[in-house]
Amino acid sequence: MTDPATEELALVQATLRGDQSAFQRIVELYQGPVYNLAYRMLNNAQDAEDAAQEIFLRVYTKLTMYDQGRKFSTWLFSVASNHCIDRLRRRRPIVPLDDLAFGLPSKEDGPERYALRSELKDVVQEALNTLPDHYRLVAILRYWNDLSYNEIVEVTGLSESAVKTRLHRARKMVADALEAQGELP
Amino acid sequence: MRCQQIRSLRASADDPATRTLITDHIATCAACADELGALPLALMQPASVKPPPALAAKIMAALPPTPAIAAAQEQRASRRRRWVAAGWAVVLLGLLIIGTVGLLVDSSYPAALLGGVQSAVGRVALALTLAGKPMFAVLLNISVPLVLTTLIVGGAAVWAWRQLAQPLQPLVAIDGQEGQ
């Protein structure tokens, strides 16, 4: 079985040689994590889709500048994070909250349980929206994208202690927001 | 059970048996207690959203043939944007300068320097002077009140801050209870 890092590097090198099917494989591998990051950061399905397209286009365009000694996914998340933060800076201050229930999973759950879970996730997203952008980014990278502290350090350029502090505060803020909404005892 | 395995169980943390496993581990592991102990259950089972089915196709359809070509296209577009911005800056600055000259000397002065208002170049210069004069006036009318307002509001803010930053007077002791 091929090591994922080796496979990614081979795909990057093939893309650089002009093999678009290799980049298609990269898109297939990472469209889920990138779309999720954009969706949780931007809180809007349409914006997340546009952002994901622009992120992959930017990755493709800047691939010649990618340092092949670094882990590809970390570099990709770094491009994606910067793009989402830029978008949030450019965005008008009012955030549309109309499509929060978009595409929530859970195939096995019955209708009642599904409704409860969906409601909970909406509440989580709302709590997430109360965090400042840089705190939200760190929380999403950790809990949704499952990145390690070191990977978050590489993606964001923060120190490890800053990452830990932001995560700690983000958890506290989410817990406070959930408590304020009556979702936590 | 190892920390990594515990972390992978978060997705099904609403299952009672899994929760017991997580809770037992947290009780004996300082690192996980720090991270997972204070974590709301809602964050223990993060929901991922599925990307739209056509997303990959849309991305692929927008790609130039190779990354090198894409980078070159991006560089050309960026250079073009810079030139357009520089062009606009030069035009506006030129208008402002010629308008200022027209306002301070005479509207026909720039035209007179270029062969008089009868010549084609002179007529263009006159038109530009007349277009630039209001720009100077607008800038003057906006900038003076803007600077004055900034000074007044800034001064008031500094004054209010100094008032707030002054040390409070000690409270008067009630019934001789001071120091208790």
Side-chain angles (χ1 to χ4, degrees):
Chain A
M1 208 169 130
T2 326
D3 170 30
T6 316
E7 190 196 347
E8 279 172 4
L9 192 59
L11 289 172
V12 167
Q13 287 167 346
T15 306
L16 285 169
R17 287 193 301 270
D19 179 358
Q20 284 212 343
S21 64
F23 192 72
Q24 182 157 12
R25 178 81 186 120
I26 291 175
V27 171
E28 282 162 5
L29 282 173
Y30 285 105
Q31 62 172 335
V34 167
Y35 180 79
N36 266 276
L37 173 65
Y39 181 79
R40 294 291 166 198
M41 283 299 287
L42 305 172
N43 185 33
N44 177 298
Q46 187 56 54
D47 280 2
E49 185 177 349
D50 293 346
Q53 284 185 50
E54 285 168 25
I55 288 163
F56 279 109
L57 184 59
R58 195 176 279 191
V59 164
Y60 187 79
T61 306
K62 296 194 181 297
L63 205 58
T64 47
M65 283 152 39
Y66 161 60
D67 171 8
Q68 297 185 13
R70 282 180 70 188
K71 194 174 170 188
F72 178 73
S73 61
T74 311
W75 179 71
L76 174 71
F77 279 124
S78 156
V79 174
S81 303
N82 288 333
H83 185 79
C84 290
I85 295 283
D86 283 350
R87 257 180 179 260
L88 286 168
R89 279 199 196 119
R90 289 198 305 264
R91 183 190 261 187
R92 61 188 184 280
I94 300 162
V95 179
L97 298 168
D98 50 354
D99 56 354
L100 283 173
F102 175 81
L104 289 167
S106 184
K107 288 171 237 163
E108 296 80 17
D109 291 339
E112 285 175 14
R113 180 136 187 78
Y114 180 83
L116 276 173
R117 282 176 64 93
S118 299
E119 196 183 315
L120 184 62
K121 299 306 181 279
D122 289 356
V123 170
V124 173
Q125 180 67 44
E126 279 184 43
L128 210 52
N129 291 337
T130 63
L131 304 186
D133 298 343
H134 287 92
Y135 286 70
R136 185 154 81 243
L137 174 66
V138 171
I140 293 167
L141 289 172
R142 181 68 173 148
Y143 298 116
W144 273 269
N145 292 95
D146 226 12
L147 264 60
S148 68
Y149 288 139
N150 284 341
E151 286 170 328
I152 299 174
V153 165
E154 276 198 51
V155 167
T156 58
L158 294 166
S159 66
E160 190 174 327
S161 60
V163 168
K164 283 182 177 171
T165 307
R166 286 189 186 193
L167 267 176
H168 181 77
R169 289 187 187 156
R171 280 196 302 266
K172 176 87 173 59
M173 285 187 232
V174 168
D176 287 348
L178 289 173
E179 199 177 339
Q181 292 168 33
E183 296 296 330
L184 282 184
Chain B
M1 190 168 264
R2 291 173 54 196
C3 303
Q4 193 57 42
Q5 288 171 300
I6 285 294
R7 285 187 52 76
S8 68
L9 288 175
R10 286 182 305 135
S12 51
D14 55 345
D15 169 47
T18 309
R19 291 205 69 187
T20 309
L21 270 177
I22 295 175
T23 317
D24 289 351
H25 179 83
I26 285 173
T28 58
C29 174
C32 286
D34 179 44
E35 172 145 356
L36 298 176
L39 197 67
L41 176 65
L43 270 189
M44 277 200 178
Q45 29 175 339
S48 59
V49 287
K50 279 189 179 158
L55 179 62
K58 281 185 189 169
I59 292 166
M60 294 311 294
L63 294 183
T66 68
I69 291 173
Q73 282 177 353
E74 169 67 20
Q75 212 172 6
R76 270 200 300 276
S78 157
R79 207 176 296 143
R80 203 178 310 124
R81 280 196 297 274
R82 273 204 297 273
W83 275 110
V84 168
W88 275 110
V90 166
V91 166
L92 290 173
L93 193 67
L95 270 178
L96 189 68
I97 289 168
I98 203 168
T100 309
V101 170
L103 206 70
L104 297 177
V105 185
D106 185 74
S107 295
S108 58
Y109 180 71
L113 290 177
L114 297 165
V117 289
Q118 305 304 323
S119 68
V121 180
R123 277 199 297 277
V124 171
L126 180 64
L128 291 175
T129 310
L130 293 175
K133 278 172 78 172
M135 275 184 64
F136 179 80
V138 167
L139 199 71
L140 198 68
N141 285 332
I142 290 175
S143 58
V144 172
L146 195 71
V147 170
L148 281 178
T149 311
T150 309
L151 284 175
I152 292 168
V153 172
V158 170
W159 177 81
W161 176 253
R162 285 193 171 175
Q163 295 299 311
L164 286 171
Q166 275 180 358
L168 292 171
Q169 297 295 320
L171 289 172
V172 178
I174 302 168
D175 297 336
Q177 289 177 353
E178 191 178 15
Q180 285 183 10

